């Protein structure tokens, strides 16, 4: 069902009044909404083999298929070569997740695919293996067809030493207890020191509950 702007406002008041849920595309699919050169902070979720990138539908669990499908084509369009795609050269990373009711779980995931250069290849630790993944900076570029391709530029926090970083949960009003579907849910990656670092801004994730689900972005310097 298509949700109007007024329906989305009603969601923020009480879920039962709207009768629909606004479902945006994952950030990886909406490159047109992001300025090329923007950096984001994300937790490494998965690290992939060359075969998983070239054959995303073979012998993989459903979430991995969703992440890697079409990625090889985007890499070539962005100027990478076939020889650049090797074991460990491609990762998925996540910034947040949300849902407008608890029954469906935290299903709308803000995720990005990114290429890893030789200087960091083999060093990144994913959440799927370690429980917590490395927190990395990813620089985003749009391709000629307006697809989004990321490049891991640095490790912000190691998987076993997040220090001032944490996963924050969505705070919701007791009003949502009236709904049999449950309250909105959400989680997002937050790092306290970023508020004092030049250029970083906390951005509300499009489509997420108005109570607040965010990701950290840093716009490229203006010329």
């Amino acid at each position: 069902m298509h949700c109007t702007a007024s329906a989305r406002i009603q969601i923020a008041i009480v879920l039962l009044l709207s009768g629909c849920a606004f479902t945006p595309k994952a950030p990886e699919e909406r490159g047109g909404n992001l300025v090329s050169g923007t950096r984001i902070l994300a937790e490494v979720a998965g690290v992939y083999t060359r075969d998983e990138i070239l054959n995303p539908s073979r012998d993989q669990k459903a979430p991995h298929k969703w992440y890697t499908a079409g990625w090889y084509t985007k890499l070539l369009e962005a100027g990478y070569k076939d020889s650049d795609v090797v074991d460990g050269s491609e990762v998925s990373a996540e910034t947040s997740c949300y849902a407008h009711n608890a029954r469906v779980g935290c299903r709308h995931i803000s995720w990005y695919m990114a290429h890893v250069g030789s200087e960091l290849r083999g060093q990144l630790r994913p959440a799927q293996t370690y429980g917590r993944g490395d927190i990395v900076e990813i620089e985003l570029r749009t391709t000629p067809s307006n697809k989004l391709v990321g490049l891991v530029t640095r490790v912000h926090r190691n998987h076993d030493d997040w220090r001032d970083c944490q996963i924050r949960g969505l705070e919701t009003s007791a009003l949502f207890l009236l709904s049999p579907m449950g309250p909105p849910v959400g989680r997002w990656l937050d790092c306290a020191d970023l508020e004092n670092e030049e250029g970083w801004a906390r951005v509300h994730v499009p489509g997420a509950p108005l109570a607040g689900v965010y990701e950290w972005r840093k716009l490229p310097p203006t010329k």
Side-chain angles (χ1 to χ4, degrees), residues 69 82-83 112 116 119 164 171 174 191 215:
D82 175 78
S83 58
Y112 299 84
V116 183
E119 65 280 1
D164 54 342
E171 297 181 4
C191 294
E215 68 181 19

Side-chain angles (χ1 to χ4, degrees), residues 117-151:
S118 58
E119 65 280 1
L120 289 175
R121 197 171 301 151
Q123 300 180 35
L124 300 184
R125 302 295 181 259
Q128 71 181 40
T129 303
Y130 293 88
R132 270 189 171 182
D134 290 338
I135 298 174
V136 295
E137 266 186 42
I138 296 176
E139 184 172 330
L140 306 172
R141 295 288 182 179
T142 50
T143 68
S145 65
N146 208 33
K147 304 298 184 185
L148 202 62
V149 173
L151 173 67

Side-chain angles (χ1 to χ4, degrees), residues 2 22 36 48-49 69-70 73 124 140 149 151 158 174 177 182 189 195:
H2 177 70
F22 179 57
S36 189
Y48 302 101
T49 65
T73 301
L124 300 184
L140 306 172
V149 173
L151 173 67
N158 292 322
L177 296 176
L189 175 65
E195 295 177 351

Side-chain angles (χ1 to χ4, degrees), residues 161-218:
D161 185 19
W162 276 21
R163 286 177 279 171
D164 54 342
C165 297
Q166 62 180 305
I167 299 296
R168 290 191 181 274
L170 179 67
E171 297 181 4
T172 58
S173 168
L175 180 63
F176 287 98
L177 296 176
L178 300 174
S179 169
M181 300 292 287
V185 294
R187 297 189 299 272
W188 56 284
L189 175 65
D190 189 25
C191 294
D193 279 355
L194 287 184
E195 295 177 351
N196 301 317
E197 293 188 24
E198 183 179 356
W200 285 101
R202 192 176 69 173
V203 179
H204 184 267
V205 174
L210 296 181
V213 176
Y214 303 92
E215 68 181 19
W216 287 98
R217 296 182 185 178
K218 184 175 184 179

Side-chain angles (χ1 to χ4, degrees), residues 25-27 66-67 93-98 106-111:
K25 293 182 178 180
W66 180 47
Y67 281 25
E94 300 175 0
T95 64
S96 65
C97 68
Y98 73 88
C106 205
R107 63 182 299 175
H108 301 302
I109 302 171
S110 292
W111 59 275

